[in-house]
Amino acid sequence: MAKSSFQRMGSSIHVPSVQALAASIANPADVPPRFVRPEAKADPVASDGESELPVIDFSRLLHHRFSREESAKLHHACADWGFFQLINHGVPDQAMEKMKADIAEFFKLPLEEKKAFAQLPNSLEGYGQAFVVSDDQELDWADMLYLITRPLQSRNIDLWPAQPFTFRDSLSCYSMELKSVAGTLLEVMAKNLGVAPEEFSTIFQDQPQGVRINYYPPCPRADEVLGLSPHTDGSGLTLLLQVNDVEGLHIRKGGNWFPVKPLPGALIANIGDIIEILSNGVYKSIEHRAIINAKEERLSIATFHGPREDSVIGPLEIVKGYKPKYVSMSYKEFMKAYFSTKLEGRRLMESLKL
Ligand code: OGA
Ligand code: NI
């Protein structure tokens, strides 16, 4: 089976399931010190109504092969926020509900059964954790299941849960639906940026895609731990679906953390590092994090759409006449850099600036 570069970049350090740890904790003092993160409450969190995440209506975008008004709205959302809610995206309710139900079922399985799909040494794919690069590093309060879904020949089906028995089918179906939404968004973005359509379609050919399913257990010291450290996504475009009703995604806006409240049925979209670089910084890959709830578990599915493996990533031709603001490098080199350190906000992106 074809091996994707993700395969070789995982850490060999494996940490025990946080879900199992959380279940064993009787009182707050039992939370191991490696999970206690003073930075979790260091920056202010914006209160309700301070500002609103842009909402993009996908059906309007498609209307008349891209409504000019909605495309302009999308352009501003990508340039000013780097994040938006996508409504009327056309992904059938059934595809989303099946995926959500199967994910919830998977995480309910006994640890030993989940471990049958555990990450292999030096791989990121499977059930486990990512970005753990040393034995004394602080840890995030979460487990994940990361699977490569596209291109089809890169799938490692052995790592796709066989329980619940509908899981593989639900994921295939979800992957296909999201690929099509992402493809359209990328097409409109290319148009908005003035990029020749074939330039974008070559980079995103076959629409490589990976799915990261996040499981955030409740924690009695919720405001002192982090579910997912501040980071930017190494993808081109991410589409996030919150699986249950528990909120926890925060995005960096000014010096504040801004809590995202997903609209019913919406996908939360964000620009990843690759599109920030390709667009020479016109579109922004915004730092975000996930926080933990004291009483309830939280689940989410982040679907990353990236460039093809052999692409070179650097500011595109549109910036001719402007000064390129980022170094160009092979996507493989970028991924190596992305996965070889712990998550640290925009540190990597800042280091790639010229
Ligand atoms: C991610 C991510 C946020 C969330 O998986 O990259 O940012 O709300 N997830 O789970
Ligand atoms: Ni993310």
Side-chain angles (χ1 to χ4, degrees), residues 92-154:
D93 278 351
Q94 209 205 356
M96 303 215 289
E97 292 313 314
K98 270 174 60 192
M99 188 73 262
K100 287 180 175 183
D102 285 355
I103 284 166
E105 274 306 298
F106 174 74
F107 280 97
K108 278 191 201 128
L109 294 174
L111 181 60
E112 284 314 310
E113 288 177 42
K114 290 192 286 263
K115 275 188 168 168
F117 306 97
Q119 292 164 322
L120 300 171
N122 294 313
S123 166
L124 276 175
E125 250 199 301
Y127 172 68
Q129 272 122 16
F131 306 104
V132 182
V133 292
S134 80
D135 282 318
D136 55 2
Q137 183 190 325
E138 67 274 25
L139 296 174
D140 288 346
W141 192 260
D143 293 332
M144 65 144 202
L145 172 65
Y146 178 73
L147 298 167
I148 294 164
T149 42
R150 295 188 58 82
L152 301 184
Q153 68 272 20
S154 295

Side-chain angles (χ1 to χ4, degrees), residues 212 214 216 228 231 233 240 249 288 298 300 302 304:
R212 179 183 161 124
N214 298 299
Y216 305 103
L228 191 51
H231 68 284
D233 292 346
L240 183 100
L249 172 62
H288 52 285
R298 174 169 184 266
S300 68
F304 304 113

Side-chain angles (χ1 to χ4, degrees), residues 83-335:
F83 259 92
F84 54 92
Q85 304 226 24
L86 190 68
I87 58 166
N88 299 327
H89 42 64
V91 178
D93 278 351
Q94 209 205 356
M96 303 215 289
E97 292 313 314
K98 270 174 60 192
M99 188 73 262
K100 287 180 175 183
D102 285 355
I103 284 166
E105 274 306 298
F106 174 74
F107 280 97
K108 278 191 201 128
L109 294 174
L111 181 60
E112 284 314 310
E113 288 177 42
K114 290 192 286 263
K115 275 188 168 168
F117 306 97
Q119 292 164 322
L120 300 171
N122 294 313
S123 166
L124 276 175
E125 250 199 301
Y127 172 68
Q129 272 122 16
F131 306 104
V132 182
V133 292
S134 80
D135 282 318
D136 55 2
Q137 183 190 325
E138 67 274 25
L139 296 174
D140 288 346
W141 192 260
D143 293 332
M144 65 144 202
L145 172 65
Y146 178 73
L147 298 167
I148 294 164
T149 42
R150 295 188 58 82
L152 301 184
Q153 68 272 20
S154 295
R155 290 184 178 180
N156 289 300
I157 288 294
D158 298 350
L159 289 173
W160 290 36
Q163 275 192 73
F165 74 96
T166 46
F167 189 100
R168 292 176 181 178
D169 183 52
S170 302
L171 182 57
S172 287
C173 172
Y174 185 75
S175 151
M176 191 179 67
E177 294 291 345
L178 264 71
K179 172 229 173 206
S180 127
V181 173
T184 302
L185 289 174
L186 289 170
E187 201 181 328
V188 186
M189 285 177 196
K191 212 166 169 187
N192 280 339
L193 285 165
V195 179
E198 46 310 337
E199 251 193 299
F200 244 46
S201 55
T202 306
I203 293 174
F204 294 101
Q205 193 184 359
D206 265 342
Q207 194 51 81
Q209 183 193 58
V211 173
R212 179 183 161 124
I213 300 162
N214 298 299
Y215 180 88
Y216 305 103
C219 180
R221 293 171 72 177
D223 58 351
E224 293 175 278
V225 300
L226 279 175
L228 191 51
S229 295
H231 68 284
T232 57
D233 292 346
S235 63
L237 173 69
T238 305
L239 295 172
L240 183 100
L241 177 64
Q242 194 167 273
V243 173
N244 59 350
D245 283 335
V246 181
E247 287 163 16
L249 172 62
H250 282 177
I251 71 177
R252 179 82 84 182
K253 184 96 176 105
N256 283 0
W257 288 110
F258 177 90
V260 174
K261 297 182 191 309
L263 296 168
L267 290 166
I268 307 298
N270 68 282
I271 297 295
D273 298 344
I274 300 303
I275 289 190
E276 174 172 324
I277 297 172
L278 294 174
S279 72
N280 204 28
V282 174
Y283 288 174
K284 311 287 188 312
S285 178
I286 299 294
E287 206 179 321
H288 52 285
R289 69 176 188 180
I291 60 153
I292 292 297
N293 190 285
K295 296 269 181 303
E296 290 178 275
E297 64 185 17
R298 174 169 184 266
L299 291 102
S300 68
I301 316 170
T303 307
F304 304 113
H305 299 91
R308 47 187 269 190
E309 273 226 303
D310 59 355
S311 47
V312 173
I313 301 303
L316 289 174
E317 285 293 296
I318 40 152
V319 299
K320 239 184 184 167
Y322 297 90
K323 224 170 123 244
K325 293 185 182 145
Y326 303 82
V327 294
S328 291
M329 65 201 295
S330 73
Y331 179 57
K332 282 192 177 135
E333 266 179 279
F334 173 85
M335 291 309 264

Side-chain angles (χ1 to χ4, degrees), residues 6-19:
F6 286 109
Q7 228 74 47
R8 297 179 292 274
M9 280 182 262
S11 143
S12 54
I13 299 171
H14 283 267
V15 277
S17 158
V18 178
Q19 184 181 8

